[in-house]
Amino acid sequence: MDQTLPLSNTSIVVTRANQQNKHICAELTSLGANVVAFPCIEIRPLYNFDSSHLENFLSHCELIIFTSTNAVQYGLQALPDFTVKVPSSCKFAAVGTSTAQALRDYGIQQVLTPLEDSDSEALLKLPELQNVKQRSVLFVKGEGGRKLLRETLKSRGAVIHSIDVYQRTLPKAVNLDALNDKIDLLLFTSSEVVENFLALTPKSLHSTLLSCQTIVGHTRIGNKVTALGFKKLPIIAATPSDTDMLAAINQWIHSA
């Protein structure tokens, strides 16, 4: 391996789902890192929503909110022609810039999204989401997840309908041997993934793993890391996107 590369001799564990880890793993490898792909979450599509009720709601829907890139991918797979069923005045919104870009990649160019933070709190501050009384709002989301966005808009008077288009589960099999060598960094992009990581690894390894440096995609995830017993303060990237996680890693390696 080229020892002049910035991440040479650095071992990094990527915990993203298999469907989402290829790009960041390739980028880290190109920078010289020893990359360990250790998916701590599995994404599965869901198609069991009431399509007849949904089509009726779409006919007068005024705002559609996608909560993640997975919601975009699986939502548009399940409803490939839904954009022609909504009124031309219907607006689209996304929690985070990555989700907004995923919508643009599917041809939906006008997307409401916060420019600074990639979370529900930031989206709720947008002017377009203040006066929503009697407005019909559809959420395209994963099973479970945070309720803040839906409950806040409902409290503001919106008429809410939501569909779950995917579910997050624990992977059935993991390669624990991959964690036996030296680990310099653990990458976490959601609080659920942090919990799953500890659930998937034996307690005999926890003393070592909890001593590792972590890089997370949001302050909320950083709080979870600390609460679960990781000893080092987490490095917090601007967002959980590959670009921002890579930027945080680069900053860490240059300051180390």
Side-chain angles (χ1 to χ4, degrees), residues 45-66:
L46 292 175
Y47 301 120
N48 56 357
F49 46 84
D50 185 343
S51 57
S52 59
H53 184 194
L54 175 61
E55 289 204 10
N56 178 58
F57 193 86
L58 285 174
S59 67
H60 59 273
C61 190
E62 297 170 80
L63 175 65
I64 301 177
I65 298 175
F66 290 81

Side-chain angles (χ1 to χ4, degrees), residues 71-161:
V72 174
Q73 177 185 346
Y74 295 111
L76 297 185
Q77 284 178 7
L79 305 163
D81 60 345
F82 89 103
T83 54
V84 302
K85 297 178 180 179
V86 298
S88 58
S89 58
C90 181
K91 297 184 182 299
F92 296 87
V95 179
T97 54
S98 295
T99 305
Q101 185 56 53
L103 283 169
R104 295 186 190 103
D105 292 342
Y106 274 94
I108 301 171
Q109 298 302 319
Q110 300 300 317
V111 183
L112 300 172
T113 192
L115 298 178
E116 298 297 327
D117 296 311
S118 293
D119 56 22
S120 299
E121 289 85 349
L123 188 64
L124 285 166
K125 293 177 183 177
L126 293 181
E128 295 87 350
L129 270 68
Q130 304 311 305
N131 185 16
V132 293
K133 189 173 183 179
Q134 300 300 317
R135 293 184 66 189
S136 299
V137 180
L138 171 68
F139 281 86
V140 183
K141 55 183 281 295
E143 191 175 62
R146 299 182 74 200
K147 298 179 180 179
L148 175 68
L149 191 52
R150 282 169 287 159
E151 290 182 347
T152 302
L153 291 183
K154 187 175 181 179
S155 72
R156 293 176 182 176
V159 180
I160 303 295
H161 183 70

Side-chain angles (χ1 to χ4, degrees), residues 105-239:
D105 292 342
Y106 274 94
I108 301 171
Q109 298 302 319
Q110 300 300 317
V111 183
L112 300 172
T113 192
L115 298 178
E116 298 297 327
D117 296 311
S118 293
D119 56 22
S120 299
E121 289 85 349
L123 188 64
L124 285 166
K125 293 177 183 177
L126 293 181
E128 295 87 350
L129 270 68
Q130 304 311 305
N131 185 16
V132 293
K133 189 173 183 179
Q134 300 300 317
R135 293 184 66 189
S136 299
V137 180
L138 171 68
F139 281 86
V140 183
K141 55 183 281 295
E143 191 175 62
R146 299 182 74 200
K147 298 179 180 179
L148 175 68
L149 191 52
R150 282 169 287 159
E151 290 182 347
T152 302
L153 291 183
K154 187 175 181 179
S155 72
R156 293 176 182 176
V159 180
I160 303 295
H161 183 70
S162 64
I163 56 170
D164 295 338
V165 295
Y166 68 95
Q167 63 179 177
R168 298 172 290 266
T169 64
L170 273 174
K172 292 182 178 178
V174 294
N175 179 17
L176 291 174
D177 290 339
L179 301 179
N180 285 334
D181 295 328
K182 176 181 75 79
I183 296 171
D184 295 299
L185 282 177
L186 294 167
L187 269 62
F188 294 126
T189 51
S190 76
S191 296
E192 185 176 5
V193 162
V194 184
E195 293 175 338
N196 288 356
F197 179 75
L198 293 179
L200 290 166
T201 52
K203 290 187 177 180
S204 59
L205 288 179
H206 284 185
S207 177
T208 299
L209 296 173
L210 290 172
S211 297
C212 294
Q213 180 64 61
T214 59
I215 291 189
V216 303
H218 194 280
T219 303
R220 186 172 60 252
I221 309 169
N223 293 338
K224 175 63 72 172
V225 161
T226 301
L228 290 176
F230 284 87
K231 296 177 175 59
K232 295 180 180 177
L233 285 176
I235 297 165
I236 301 176
T239 75

